Amino acid sequence: TRLLVAADDGSLRCLDPRRDDHPLWHLDAHAKSCQGVAVNADGLVATASHDKSLKLWRLKPDAPALLAKRSVAAGKLFDLCFDEHAPHLLATGGSKGILALWDATDDLATLERRDPAAS
């Protein structure tokens, strides 16, 4: 059992609730407050931040590896989610009161062509 926690300092932490000691890993994910974290069926992790960016990560044993990043025009981002029927489609909302979508399919395909081991 693992719990992913987004924090106001921009970090993402992985905790094991059965253990009372330190996080399994700690990552400085964003420059500003990390407001949301979501996991899709493929095991990709996405984060949303007050730095107005979304980031997509691949889970690794010691910490996630950054796969792609997207700045969106929704202001400071508050939360995000994956579409359950389109596993690379993300929706986020921010301080401008609008919804922003990111279809990361092309970003991940480009990464796969450059580095097949990355994705």
Side-chain angles (χ1 to χ4, degrees):
T1 302
R2 296 204 170 141
L3 189 67
L4 295 177
V5 179
D8 282 342
D9 65 359
S11 69
L12 181 65
R13 293 177 179 94
C14 181
L15 307 172
D16 183 341
R18 299 167 297 186
R19 294 176 45 184
D20 199 24
D21 54 355
H22 302 288
L24 299 174
W25 49 258
H26 174 271
L27 174 72
D28 293 324
H30 290 272
K32 294 188 178 178
S33 179
C34 187
Q35 293 292 304
V37 61
V39 182
N40 76 0
D42 295 338
L44 296 178
V45 175
T47 55
S49 172
H50 277 186
D51 66 10
K52 304 175 184 175
S53 72
L54 297 169
K55 292 184 178 181
L56 196 57
W57 311 85
R58 167 73 62 206
L59 286 181
K60 303 271 184 172
D62 54 343
L66 182 63
L67 296 176
K69 176 183 175 182
R70 175 72 51 103
S71 293
V72 295
K76 294 177 182 179
L77 302 181
F78 297 135
D79 206 355
L80 77 161
C81 67
F82 283 101
D83 182 308
E84 66 181 80
H85 301 292
H88 301 139
L89 181 62
L90 286 155
T92 188
S95 60
K96 291 186 177 181
I98 60 173
L99 176 70
L101 299 175
W102 176 24
D103 184 348
T105 303
D106 290 339
D107 297 278
L108 294 171
T110 301
L111 179 67
E112 174 68 23
R113 284 192 298 276
R114 277 189 270 149
D115 182 7
S119 61

